[in-house]
Amino acid sequence: MKAEGQHEGHRRRMRDKLNSGSFSDLPEHEQLEVILFSVIHRGNTNEIAHRLLDKYGSVYGVLAADIDSLTEVEGVGVRVAEFLHNLPSILGVVMRSKIEYESNNEMVLKDISSLKTFLFTLFTDTITERVYMLMLNKGFRLIKFEKVSDGSIDDVYIDVGKVVRRAILNNASYVVLAHNHPSGAAVPSGFDISATGEVAKGLEVVGIGFLDHVIISGDRYYSFRENRVL
């Protein structure tokens, strides 16, 4: 009972600290503690937060870890691991919802300025390379976006046939490709350049415009269109 009372007192002090400042002002282990409060309602979240940071190095590392790995940390069960693992995806959903709200539900993605803002939201939950395609109508409004493929930390395959088929099935007038470079710079590889050319040819055959291919790396981006590679 004494230990439980200590933990509750610690939580109250943490909440008071948060209420008198901001979440971003907290040191990283306390930020993770506050996150854990939502799913661990009793117990010593301070020790769990430190164990997680010791293993993964940062809050981002914790949230990017897979569920099986997270459950290897003492005090982290499946429910807690699922909660932590899903937070980055939830963040992406919130960011996209904000963009839609601020545009009065008119998701027009015509230029790199609007595109990059949207595309950053797609890679909040991955530390491996991933390819997405955006399908737009004639007015450059978003019809839908889909994941094309997952890869490794430094490589991903772009299935040209799949991109063309999905664009046709969704009546797209334009397509945007996007993939991330989690371990490198926002600079296209030789494969990225050749694959982009193949996608451009495939879409041209069926009369669908290839608006851009954007590489995301952290808070940086590379636009094939902006750099006149397309």
Side-chain angles (χ1 to χ4, degrees), residues 202-229:
L203 290 172
E204 184 179 16
V205 168
V206 294
I208 296 174
F210 191 14
L211 188 61
D212 208 343
H213 182 184
V214 183
I215 298 171
I216 300 293
S217 182
D219 60 356
R220 296 157 297 173
Y221 75 93
Y222 177 95
S223 160
F224 277 70
R225 178 71 61 185
E226 194 173 53
N227 285 276
R228 299 182 180 180
V229 182

Short mmCIF file of all heavy atoms in Angstrom, two decimals, residues 202-229:
data_model
loop_
_atom_site.label_atom_id
_atom_site.label_comp_id
_atom_site.label_asym_id
_atom_site.label_seq_id
_atom_site.Cartn_x
_atom_site.Cartn_y
_atom_site.Cartn_z
N GLY A 202 4.31 3.34 -67.81
CA GLY A 202 3.13 2.51 -67.63
C GLY A 202 1.86 3.34 -67.53
O GLY A 202 0.82 2.99 -68.12
N LEU A 203 1.91 4.45 -66.80
CA LEU A 203 0.74 5.31 -66.67
C LEU A 203 0.42 6.04 -67.97
O LEU A 203 -0.74 6.24 -68.31
CB LEU A 203 0.97 6.33 -65.54
CG LEU A 203 0.98 5.75 -64.12
CD1 LEU A 203 1.42 6.81 -63.11
CD2 LEU A 203 -0.39 5.18 -63.72
N GLU A 204 1.46 6.40 -68.70
CA GLU A 204 1.26 7.09 -69.97
C GLU A 204 0.50 6.20 -70.96
O GLU A 204 -0.36 6.68 -71.71
CB GLU A 204 2.60 7.50 -70.56
CG GLU A 204 2.49 8.31 -71.84
CD GLU A 204 3.85 8.72 -72.40
OE1 GLU A 204 4.87 8.14 -71.97
OE2 GLU A 204 3.88 9.61 -73.26
N VAL A 205 0.80 4.92 -70.96
CA VAL A 205 0.14 3.98 -71.87
C VAL A 205 -1.37 3.97 -71.67
O VAL A 205 -2.14 3.85 -72.62
CB VAL A 205 0.72 2.56 -71.68
CG1 VAL A 205 -0.13 1.52 -72.39
CG2 VAL A 205 2.15 2.50 -72.18
N VAL A 206 -1.81 4.11 -70.39
CA VAL A 206 -3.24 4.04 -70.10
C VAL A 206 -3.85 5.44 -69.94
O VAL A 206 -5.01 5.58 -69.53
CB VAL A 206 -3.51 3.20 -68.84
CG1 VAL A 206 -3.12 1.75 -69.07
CG2 VAL A 206 -2.78 3.77 -67.62
N GLY A 207 -3.10 6.48 -70.27
CA GLY A 207 -3.64 7.83 -70.28
C GLY A 207 -3.84 8.46 -68.91
O GLY A 207 -4.71 9.33 -68.74
N ILE A 208 -3.04 8.04 -67.94
CA ILE A 208 -3.13 8.60 -66.59
C ILE A 208 -1.88 9.44 -66.32
O ILE A 208 -0.76 9.00 -66.59
CB ILE A 208 -3.28 7.49 -65.53
CG1 ILE A 208 -4.59 6.75 -65.74
CG2 ILE A 208 -3.21 8.07 -64.11
CD1 ILE A 208 -4.77 5.54 -64.84
N GLY A 209 -2.07 10.65 -65.81
CA GLY A 209 -0.94 11.53 -65.56
C GLY A 209 -0.15 11.13 -64.33
O GLY A 209 -0.71 10.69 -63.33
N PHE A 210 1.16 11.26 -64.43
CA PHE A 210 2.05 10.98 -63.29
C PHE A 210 2.49 12.33 -62.74
O PHE A 210 3.39 12.97 -63.28
CB PHE A 210 3.25 10.14 -63.77
CG PHE A 210 4.09 9.58 -62.66
CD1 PHE A 210 3.66 9.56 -61.34
CD2 PHE A 210 5.35 9.06 -62.93
CE1 PHE A 210 4.44 9.03 -60.33
CE2 PHE A 210 6.14 8.52 -61.94
CZ PHE A 210 5.68 8.51 -60.62
N LEU A 211 1.84 12.77 -61.67
CA LEU A 211 2.03 14.13 -61.18
C LEU A 211 3.39 14.31 -60.49
O LEU A 211 4.07 15.31 -60.70
CB LEU A 211 0.91 14.50 -60.20
CG LEU A 211 0.87 15.96 -59.73
CD1 LEU A 211 0.68 16.89 -60.91
CD2 LEU A 211 -0.27 16.14 -58.73
N ASP A 212 3.81 13.31 -59.69
CA ASP A 212 5.08 13.45 -58.98
C ASP A 212 5.44 12.15 -58.28
O ASP A 212 4.59 11.27 -58.08
CB ASP A 212 5.00 14.57 -57.93
CG ASP A 212 6.35 15.23 -57.64
OD1 ASP A 212 7.38 14.64 -57.99
OD2 ASP A 212 6.34 16.34 -57.07
N HIS A 213 6.71 12.04 -57.96
CA HIS A 213 7.22 11.00 -57.06
C HIS A 213 8.02 11.75 -56.01
O HIS A 213 8.95 12.49 -56.33
CB HIS A 213 8.10 10.00 -57.82
CG HIS A 213 8.62 8.89 -56.95
ND1 HIS A 213 9.48 7.93 -57.43
CD2 HIS A 213 8.42 8.58 -55.64
CE1 HIS A 213 9.78 7.08 -56.46
NE2 HIS A 213 9.16 7.47 -55.37
N VAL A 214 7.64 11.58 -54.74
CA VAL A 214 8.25 12.33 -53.65
C VAL A 214 8.91 11.38 -52.67
O VAL A 214 8.29 10.40 -52.24
CB VAL A 214 7.20 13.21 -52.92
CG1 VAL A 214 7.88 14.04 -51.82
CG2 VAL A 214 6.47 14.12 -53.90
N ILE A 215 10.15 11.67 -52.34
CA ILE A 215 10.89 10.89 -51.34
C ILE A 215 10.89 11.69 -50.03
O ILE A 215 11.22 12.88 -50.03
CB ILE A 215 12.34 10.62 -51.79
CG1 ILE A 215 12.34 9.79 -53.07
CG2 ILE A 215 13.12 9.89 -50.68
CD1 ILE A 215 13.72 9.66 -53.70
N ILE A 216 10.52 11.03 -48.95
CA ILE A 216 10.46 11.67 -47.63
C ILE A 216 11.58 11.09 -46.76
O ILE A 216 11.75 9.87 -46.67
CB ILE A 216 9.10 11.41 -46.95
CG1 ILE A 216 7.96 11.97 -47.80
CG2 ILE A 216 9.09 12.00 -45.54
CD1 ILE A 216 7.92 13.45 -47.92
N SER A 217 12.32 11.96 -46.10
CA SER A 217 13.34 11.52 -45.15
C SER A 217 13.34 12.48 -43.96
O SER A 217 13.84 13.60 -44.08
CB SER A 217 14.73 11.50 -45.80
OG SER A 217 15.71 11.03 -44.89
N GLY A 218 12.74 12.05 -42.86
CA GLY A 218 12.61 12.93 -41.72
C GLY A 218 11.74 14.11 -42.07
O GLY A 218 10.60 13.95 -42.54
N ASP A 219 12.26 15.32 -41.90
CA ASP A 219 11.50 16.52 -42.26
C ASP A 219 11.93 17.09 -43.60
O ASP A 219 11.61 18.23 -43.95
CB ASP A 219 11.64 17.59 -41.17
CG ASP A 219 13.09 18.01 -40.94
OD1 ASP A 219 13.99 17.42 -41.57
OD2 ASP A 219 13.30 18.92 -40.12
N ARG A 220 12.66 16.28 -44.39
CA ARG A 220 13.11 16.70 -45.71
C ARG A 220 12.39 15.91 -46.79
O ARG A 220 11.84 14.85 -46.55
CB ARG A 220 14.62 16.49 -45.83
CG ARG A 220 15.46 17.35 -44.87
CD ARG A 220 16.82 16.74 -44.65
NE ARG A 220 16.70 15.43 -44.01
CZ ARG A 220 17.73 14.62 -43.81
NH1 ARG A 220 18.93 14.95 -44.23
NH2 ARG A 220 17.54 13.45 -43.20
N TYR A 221 12.42 16.45 -48.00
CA TYR A 221 11.76 15.76 -49.10
C TYR A 221 12.53 16.01 -50.40
O TYR A 221 13.33 16.94 -50.52
CB TYR A 221 10.32 16.25 -49.26
CG TYR A 221 10.21 17.62 -49.89
CD1 TYR A 221 10.03 17.75 -51.27
CD2 TYR A 221 10.31 18.78 -49.13
CE1 TYR A 221 9.95 19.00 -51.88
CE2 TYR A 221 10.23 20.03 -49.72
CZ TYR A 221 10.06 20.14 -51.09
OH TYR A 221 10.00 21.37 -51.68
N TYR A 222 12.27 15.16 -51.38
CA TYR A 222 12.80 15.33 -52.74
C TYR A 222 11.65 15.08 -53.70
O TYR A 222 11.00 14.02 -53.67
CB TYR A 222 13.93 14.33 -53.01
CG TYR A 222 14.47 14.40 -54.43
CD1 TYR A 222 15.59 15.17 -54.73
CD2 TYR A 222 13.85 13.70 -55.48
CE1 TYR A 222 16.09 15.24 -56.03
CE2 TYR A 222 14.33 13.77 -56.77
CZ TYR A 222 15.46 14.54 -57.04
OH TYR A 222 15.94 14.61 -58.33
N SER A 223 11.37 16.07 -54.54
CA SER A 223 10.31 15.96 -55.54
C SER A 223 10.92 15.75 -56.92
O SER A 223 11.72 16.57 -57.38
CB SER A 223 9.45 17.23 -55.53
OG SER A 223 8.73 17.36 -56.74
N PHE A 224 10.56 14.65 -57.57
CA PHE A 224 11.04 14.42 -58.93
C PHE A 224 10.55 15.53 -59.87
O PHE A 224 11.29 15.97 -60.75
CB PHE A 224 10.56 13.05 -59.43
CG PHE A 224 11.41 11.90 -58.98
CD1 PHE A 224 11.41 11.49 -57.65
CD2 PHE A 224 12.21 11.21 -59.88
CE1 PHE A 224 12.19 10.43 -57.22
CE2 PHE A 224 13.01 10.15 -59.47
CZ PHE A 224 13.00 9.76 -58.14
N ARG A 225 9.32 15.98 -59.68
CA ARG A 225 8.76 17.02 -60.53
C ARG A 225 9.49 18.35 -60.30
O ARG A 225 9.87 19.05 -61.25
CB ARG A 225 7.26 17.19 -60.23
CG ARG A 225 6.56 18.28 -61.02
CD ARG A 225 6.40 17.92 -62.47
NE ARG A 225 5.61 16.73 -62.68
CZ ARG A 225 5.40 16.16 -63.86
NH1 ARG A 225 5.95 16.69 -64.95
NH2 ARG A 225 4.65 15.07 -63.97
N GLU A 226 9.70 18.68 -59.04
CA GLU A 226 10.36 19.94 -58.70
C GLU A 226 11.79 19.98 -59.22
O GLU A 226 12.30 21.03 -59.62
CB GLU A 226 10.35 20.12 -57.18
CG GLU A 226 10.69 21.50 -56.70
CD GLU A 226 10.49 21.64 -55.20
OE1 GLU A 226 11.05 20.80 -54.44
OE2 GLU A 226 9.80 22.58 -54.78
N ASN A 227 12.44 18.80 -59.23
CA ASN A 227 13.80 18.73 -59.73
C ASN A 227 13.87 18.40 -61.22
O ASN A 227 14.96 18.07 -61.73
CB ASN A 227 14.58 17.68 -58.92
CG ASN A 227 14.96 18.20 -57.54
OD1 ASN A 227 15.96 18.89 -57.37
ND2 ASN A 227 14.15 17.85 -56.54
N ARG A 228 12.73 18.42 -61.88
CA ARG A 228 12.61 18.23 -63.33
C ARG A 228 13.17 16.89 -63.80
O ARG A 228 13.76 16.79 -64.89
CB ARG A 228 13.33 19.39 -64.06
CG ARG A 228 12.72 20.74 -63.73
CD ARG A 228 13.38 21.87 -64.49
NE ARG A 228 12.77 23.15 -64.14
CZ ARG A 228 13.14 24.31 -64.65
NH1 ARG A 228 14.11 24.37 -65.55
NH2 ARG A 228 12.54 25.43 -64.28
N VAL A 229 12.98 15.88 -62.95
CA VAL A 229 13.35 14.52 -63.36
C VAL A 229 12.19 13.85 -64.06
O VAL A 229 12.37 12.95 -64.87
CB VAL A 229 13.80 13.69 -62.13
CG1 VAL A 229 14.24 12.29 -62.53
CG2 VAL A 229 14.95 14.42 -61.41
#
